[in-house]
Amino acid sequence: MQQEQRPGRRMVLGAAAALGAGAVALGGAGTAAAAPAATSATGRRGHGGHLRDLPVPTVIGHRGASGYRPEHTLGSYQFALDNGADVIEQDVVPTKDGHLVCRHENDITGTTDVASRPEFASRKTTKTVDGEAHTGWFTEDFTLAELKTLRAKERLPQVRRHNTLYDGRWSVPTFEEVLKWADQQGRKRGRRIWLHIETKHPTYFRKLGLGLEERLAKLLRRYGRAGRDGHTFLQSFEPSSLQRLGRLGVGGPKILLLDDLPVRPWDFVEAKDPRTTADLITPKGLKWVAGFADGIGPWLDTIIPRDKDGRLTKPTTLVRDAHAAGLILHPYTMRNENNFLPADFRRGTDPGAYGDAFAAFKTYFATGIDGIFSDNCDTAALARDAFLAGRKG
């Protein structure tokens, strides 16, 4: 696969299987599904706590503003909030002593300076996470105090050379620090700040005795974000994680993230459930998802596939089918660089140079999606405003 061109979080585990009586339905129903926000899009910036108060399409700062600052740092979150993001994303993983910290993966080799720290050289190891082998350093092998001695750095220095200027400027934030930051920023702006929180590898961590959901629910309750109007989305690639959060009383809108079509959620693999993403995006599968989630977060290529040359083809029926099931869509991830854009929108041969991102955003918005994850929230917000103005005209 091309770097960051597709999810890369899960192994491809078997061909698509039809939904059948033998499939395991994990857990029970959680929150009721919301009507698709796209049907009442106004483009206004709302201050309420319900997802319908958000502008549509909603701009979600992917790991903050990771197109400009090292991802999942307070600097990245602040830049996103200051530059057009309606919602700021966090991915949470645990430390050895049970604290939740914000990292895209528990493997911190590429996002911190841990590899250059001789005191932690012996911690380098190989682990199998959700069926994939990774060699490096992992959050679950560090106490919070140890992790706090590390400094964050740019994950893609060859593509985002300018971001390396900020290497070492910030530490790895705890999720509680982010909640405090969001409260502080909310008081400053006179409105609460929306967050979009992903539980990473929840089955893997539960087996280690480091279950994410209980820890997350406790913090959300402490900071007044556990209710339906708590200005907080919950997201996961594992349906059982969202269902568990529902049973724990966390009422915020839930988004089931979806990998490539042949991929099975890891909790399905563990439960011997044969369903894949291809099954979950059928009308029958989407109806099942709507029993515990308010929306889906699909890979953009499942909305508009690319051909063998990387050019966009005809949109699928996923947006229509999801809306028919009462689900909103928050697909991932739009980035400005040629390296990530469909071939239609690339400009020149430098993979790190910007392509015609505005045209790409317009194409995706035209499918009727309700929001989008973007590393470049300022571009996304400008593109959204232009798209809405053009539609009104």
Side-chain angles (χ1 to χ4, degrees):
M1 74 184 73
Q2 294 182 7
Q3 186 184 50
E4 289 295 301
Q5 199 70 6
R6 54 168 290 178
R9 291 184 176 92
R10 302 288 188 268
M11 293 182 66
V12 176
L13 295 160
L19 274 166
V24 178
L26 299 175
T31 59
T39 59
S40 58
T42 63
R44 65 185 175 83
R45 186 174 300 276
H47 293 171
H50 194 279
L51 63 89
R52 294 185 187 219
D53 296 313
L54 285 164
V56 178
T58 304
V59 173
I60 306 160
H62 186 236
R63 311 176 200 174
S66 50
Y68 307 105
R69 301 290 188 270
E71 65 188 41
H72 287 313
T73 59
L74 289 177
S76 183
Y77 299 147
Q78 187 68 53
F79 193 97
L81 185 60
D82 291 342
N83 288 277
D86 304 306
V87 185
I88 314 295
E89 184 198 30
Q90 297 78 45
D91 299 314
V92 294
V93 294
T95 64
K96 183 178 182 179
D97 47 350
H99 296 275
L100 295 182
V101 294
C102 296
R103 291 287 88 187
H104 178 242
E105 293 290 344
N106 53 325
D107 182 349
I108 55 174
T109 309
T111 60
T112 72
D113 63 355
V114 65
S116 67
R117 303 291 289 272
E119 66 269 35
F120 298 127
S122 63
R123 307 272 180 99
K124 187 176 184 180
T125 187
T126 298
K127 297 190 178 192
T128 299
V129 182
D130 295 1
E132 295 182 348
H134 300 269
T135 298
W137 288 262
F138 299 83
T139 59
E140 65 267 27
D141 295 332
F142 290 77
T143 65
L144 178 59
E146 290 172 331
L147 198 65
K148 276 295 188 180
T149 68
L150 303 177
R151 309 302 293 179
K153 69 175 187 177
E154 171 56 37
R155 184 175 59 89
L156 302 171
Q158 284 73 39
V159 177
R160 292 173 170 169
R161 296 179 288 275
H162 57 283
N163 281 17
T164 62
L165 173 65
Y166 303 98
D167 285 357
R169 300 292 297 181
W170 295 284
S171 65
V172 174
T174 66
F175 180 57
E176 185 164 19
E177 286 173 337
V178 174
L179 291 171
K180 291 178 179 178
W181 166 82
D183 277 358
Q184 177 191 42
Q185 293 299 313
R187 289 191 295 271
K188 180 179 177 181
R189 288 166 167 75
R191 61 180 176 86
R192 295 204 79 184
I193 306 304
W194 275 87
L195 304 178
H196 212 303
I197 305 157
E198 180 182 349
T199 56
K200 300 294 297 191
H201 310 301
T203 295
Y204 169 82
F205 285 120
R206 185 161 294 279
K207 285 188 169 184
L208 295 180
L210 293 168
L212 300 174
E213 293 84 5
E214 291 80 6
R215 291 171 169 84
L216 179 57
K218 181 178 180 181
L219 285 170
L220 293 176
R221 283 193 290 269
R222 183 182 301 170
Y223 286 85
R225 288 182 173 270
R228 183 67 180 171
D229 296 332
H231 294 77
T232 303
F233 289 94
L234 290 308
Q235 54 173 332
S236 183
F237 279 92
E238 298 188 18
S240 61
S241 184
L242 298 180
Q243 293 169 336
R244 185 180 295 274
L245 285 166
R247 291 195 297 271
L248 288 169
V250 180
K254 298 172 179 64
I255 305 294
L256 179 63
L257 300 171
L258 296 169
D259 211 312
D260 200 3
L261 294 178
V263 179
R264 294 159 64 194
W266 191 254
D267 53 348
F268 280 20
V269 175
E270 295 277 345
K272 305 295 190 293
D273 187 325
R275 289 176 294 172
T276 66
T277 296
D279 299 308
L280 295 178
I281 64 173
T282 64
K284 185 175 182 179
L286 291 167
K287 181 179 179 181
W288 179 80
V289 172
F292 61 87
D294 302 86
I296 57 173
W299 182 30
L300 278 170
D301 283 19
T302 62
I303 293 175
I304 310 180
R306 304 186 194 190
D307 65 19
K308 61 181 179 61
D309 297 317
R311 294 183 175 275
L312 294 182
T313 61
K314 183 181 178 180
T316 68
T317 63
L318 180 55
V319 174
R320 182 192 69 196
D321 294 343
H323 284 164
L327 297 167
I328 63 171
L329 297 95
H330 286 175
Y332 61 93
T333 305
M334 255 297 295
R335 301 172 168 100
N336 286 0
E337 294 92 355
N338 283 324
N339 191 63
F340 309 114
L341 288 170
D344 319 56
F345 308 111
R346 296 172 196 159
R347 298 293 179 265
T349 58
D350 180 357
Y354 282 4
D356 190 356
F358 286 107
F361 273 113
K362 181 179 179 180
T363 300
Y364 288 121
F365 289 155
T367 65
I369 59 176
D370 304 278
I372 196 164
F373 285 89
S374 177
D375 288 8
N376 307 89
C377 46
D378 53 346
T379 309
L382 282 170
R384 185 261 313 281
D385 293 345
F387 173 75
L388 294 174
R391 188 171 62 185
K392 290 175 184 176

